[in-house]
């Protein structure tokens, strides 16, 4: 009886320890909750006059922009990038606030919500050329899918016309001369549908992140300005406790520089060095095939497959799972449609679909193609150029991703 009682006691202790350990909440850490892929700003996407001068940008100017976080937490911190700046980037003052009515792309902020941002305890900082800075942690609680407003003032501007931005913001920002970093409203401000300098928001959370590596289809060309209805936004709205960060840019390519550095060149910055990433979705390659000469398309397909393998090797070394998305149709597109390019797309997609390559398959081609003409988009999803999707098409892609792929194990 004594031995039996001892066994029961030991089992009870072990059960308590096991259940107690498993019931403890996961520890919080810094995880990216919003990103914008830094790019060199093309002339047509520079701040309009008078905010771009002959040798200086945003001289004595305020910039206010909004971003939608994907997971929440009690504290945040901001990242500013000067990756492509031709001179140091001096940020004189920065604030964070709740946007008016909680909406994206608005110029006003909620009274009482403005919080100064500091950098190592100081109200200003200078970002060296090619570098980025991370702000101090801010006691600014955010909820999942909440929009935040970030305002920066540059007293002397950036002394170059080479600056860092994300042109495809699909979100309106505002420019106004003078220091208005703490103002609730910006009357007379100039609206621009681009993000400048702000490249990330991180949150203190037990969550993990999935990073989307993509081009204009993930960047949301054809989506609603200020609507946050790109397909990664749709995925983020379905996931709970998982961050979705969009590291895509229009015109981007896997193999060669386009709008922004090629994927193999930017992988360290946009995936491996992004805080808290456990998964990646690679949905890119259409621009490599579409810009190749028809005669070179088959060779580009082989090079894309080799590049995907490189992405897998480098991501797996950091314990990041990589999910491969098939390249969606472009039949009927004026610039890309060609039988040899379509053969290349089919070859690449066959490799992506083959088990044992990517950690999981996301067959976006199957989701949005026209069953009657598989080389073309379903007309209900086509924004009109036979390459990009409308909000219904993005909703279909974002809704097709299995949520079980983002369960943390162990």
């Amino acid at each position: 009886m004594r031995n039996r009682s001892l066994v029961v006691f030991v089992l009870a202790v072990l059960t308590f320890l096991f259940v107690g350990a498993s019931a403890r909440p996961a520890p919080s850490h810094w995880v990216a909750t919003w990103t914008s892929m830094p790019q060199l700003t093309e002339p047509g996407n520079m701040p309009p006059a008078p905010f771009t001068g002959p040798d200086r940008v945003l001289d004595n100017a305020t910039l206010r922009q909004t971003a939608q976080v994907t997971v929440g937490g009690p504290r945040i911190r901001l990242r500013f990038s000067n990756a492509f700046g031709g001179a140091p980037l001096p940020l004189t003052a920065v604030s964070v606030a709740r946007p008016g009515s909680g909406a994206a792309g608005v110029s006003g902020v909620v009274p009482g919500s403005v919080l100064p941002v500091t950098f190592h305890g100081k109200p200003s900082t200078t970002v060296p050329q090619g570098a980025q800075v991370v702000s101090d942690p801010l006691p600014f609680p955010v909820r999942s899918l909440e929009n935040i407003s970030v305002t920066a003032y540059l007293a002397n501007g950036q002394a170059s016309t080479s600056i860092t931005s994300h042109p495809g913001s699909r979100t309106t920002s505002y420019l106004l001369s003078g220091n208005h970093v703490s103002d609730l409203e910006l009357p007379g401000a100039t609206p621009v549908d681009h993000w400048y300098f702000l490249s990330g928001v991180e949150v203190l959370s037990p969550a993990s992140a999935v990073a989307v590596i993509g081009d204009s289809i993930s960047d949301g060309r054809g989506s609603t300005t200020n609507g946050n209805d790109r397909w990664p936004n749709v995925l983020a709205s379905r996931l709970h406790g998982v961050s979705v960060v969009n590291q895509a840019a229009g015109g981007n390519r896997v193999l060669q520089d386009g709008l922004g550095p090629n994927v193999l060149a930017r992988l360290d910055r946009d995936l491996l060095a992004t805080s808290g990433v456990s998964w990646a979705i690679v949905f890119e390659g259409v621009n490599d095939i579409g810009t190749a000469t028809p005669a070179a398309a088959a060779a580009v397909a082989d090079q894309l497959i080799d590049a995907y393998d490189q992405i897998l090797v480098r991501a797996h070394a950091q314990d990041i799972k990589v999910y491969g998305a098939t390249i969606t149709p472009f039949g009927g597109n004026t610039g890309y449609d060609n039988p040899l390019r379509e053969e290349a797309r089919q070859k690449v997609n066959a490799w992506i679909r083959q088990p044992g390559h990517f950690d999981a398959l996301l067959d976006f081609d199957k989701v949005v193609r026209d069953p009657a003409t598989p080389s073309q988009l379903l007309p209900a999803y086509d924004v009109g150029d036979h390459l990009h999707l409308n909000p219904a098409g993005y909703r279909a892609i974002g809704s097709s991703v299995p949520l079980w792929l983002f369960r943390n194990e162990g």
Side-chain angles (χ1 to χ4, degrees):
M1 179 67 71
R2 183 177 298 171
N3 289 340
R4 182 181 298 174
S5 298
L6 180 61
V7 169
V8 171
F9 174 76
V10 170
L11 289 175
V13 171
L14 290 174
T15 301
F16 172 80
L17 291 174
F18 176 78
V19 173
S22 62
R24 294 191 193 109
S28 291
H29 54 264
W30 290 107
V31 60
T33 188
W34 174 88
T35 57
S36 67
M37 179 191 142
Q39 298 173 244
L40 175 65
T41 311
E42 305 97 328
N45 293 321
M46 293 289 288
F51 301 102
T52 295
D55 60 356
R56 192 172 296 271
V57 174
L58 297 177
D59 186 15
N60 185 32
T62 295
L63 163 67
R64 179 166 288 171
Q65 41 203 345
T66 57
Q68 185 188 52
V69 305
T70 52
V71 294
R75 298 169 77 82
I76 65 170
R77 60 187 189 185
L78 309 178
R79 286 183 179 262
F80 291 89
S81 175
N82 193 23
F84 300 98
L89 170 63
L91 300 172
T92 307
V94 179
S95 69
V96 65
R98 317 278 178 194
S101 70
V106 298
S107 62
V109 298
V110 175
S113 71
V114 179
L115 180 70
V117 177
T118 58
F119 304 87
H120 200 227
K122 303 177 179 67
S124 61
T125 189
T126 297
V127 190
Q129 283 182 262
Q132 63 176 318
V133 298
V134 182
S135 77
D136 295 334
L138 306 168
F140 191 85
V142 293
R143 303 181 307 275
S144 296
L145 305 180
E146 181 179 4
N147 290 299
I148 66 171
S149 179
V150 178
T151 307
Y153 171 61
L154 285 70
N156 299 306
Q158 185 169 15
S160 174
T161 54
S162 295
I163 66 170
T164 303
S165 70
H166 188 88
S169 64
R170 326 293 168 197
T171 305
T172 305
S173 303
Y174 294 87
L175 304 171
L176 187 62
S177 295
N179 183 356
H180 305 279
V181 75
S182 299
D183 291 6
L184 300 183
E185 301 291 341
L186 299 181
T190 300
V192 288
D193 289 341
H194 310 302
W195 284 313
Y196 298 102
F197 311 134
L198 183 66
S199 64
V201 179
E202 297 182 350
V203 65
L204 195 60
S205 167
S208 295
V210 51
V212 175
I213 306 298
D215 47 43
S216 57
I217 300 175
S218 297
D219 204 26
R221 180 170 177 179
S223 65
T224 307
T225 298
N226 299 319
N228 284 327
D229 54 8
R230 313 163 192 83
W231 76 260
N233 296 105
V234 175
L235 176 58
S237 71
R238 297 173 58 226
L239 286 168
H240 300 285
V242 175
S243 170
V244 180
V245 291
N246 194 339
Q247 298 283 35
N252 197 241
R253 292 185 287 185
V254 175
L255 301 170
Q256 297 183 36
D257 291 353
L259 296 182
N262 66 79
V263 169
L264 294 181
R266 68 183 180 91
L267 195 70
D268 288 299
R269 182 194 70 190
D270 294 342
L271 176 61
L272 306 184
T274 299
S275 298
V277 172
S278 294
W279 309 276
I281 294 175
V282 176
F283 179 30
E284 189 156 0
V286 68
N287 292 324
D288 296 83
I289 294 172
T291 58
T293 64
V300 167
D302 290 335
Q303 293 164 14
L304 270 175
I305 290 169
D306 290 344
Y308 293 149
D309 190 60
Q310 279 289 302
I311 294 169
L312 284 161
V313 168
R314 291 165 63 184
H316 285 169
Q318 301 296 324
D319 296 322
I320 297 172
K321 291 184 178 180
V322 185
Y323 304 149
T326 49
I327 300 172
T328 48
F330 48 74
N333 179 266
T334 302
Y336 285 12
D337 191 8
N338 179 275
L340 293 177
R341 294 192 184 114
E342 175 61 15
E343 287 181 18
R345 185 179 77 91
Q346 293 294 346
K347 182 177 183 179
V348 171
N349 281 352
W351 189 89
I352 293 172
R353 290 186 176 108
Q354 187 174 335
H357 293 155
F358 284 100
D359 296 306
L361 166 67
L362 302 175
D363 205 341
F364 292 167
D365 169 49
K366 186 177 180 180
V367 171
V368 300
R369 71 191 180 200
D370 186 348
T373 313
S375 65
Q376 298 182 8
L377 294 172
L378 192 70
Y381 294 159
D382 189 345
V383 77
D385 65 0
H386 311 299
L387 173 63
H388 298 96
L389 305 173
N390 59 25
Y394 289 130
R395 193 159 52 249
I397 284 183
S399 300
S400 73
V401 180
L403 301 186
W404 63 264
L405 291 173
F406 308 103
R407 294 174 186 158
N408 273 315
E409 300 175 0

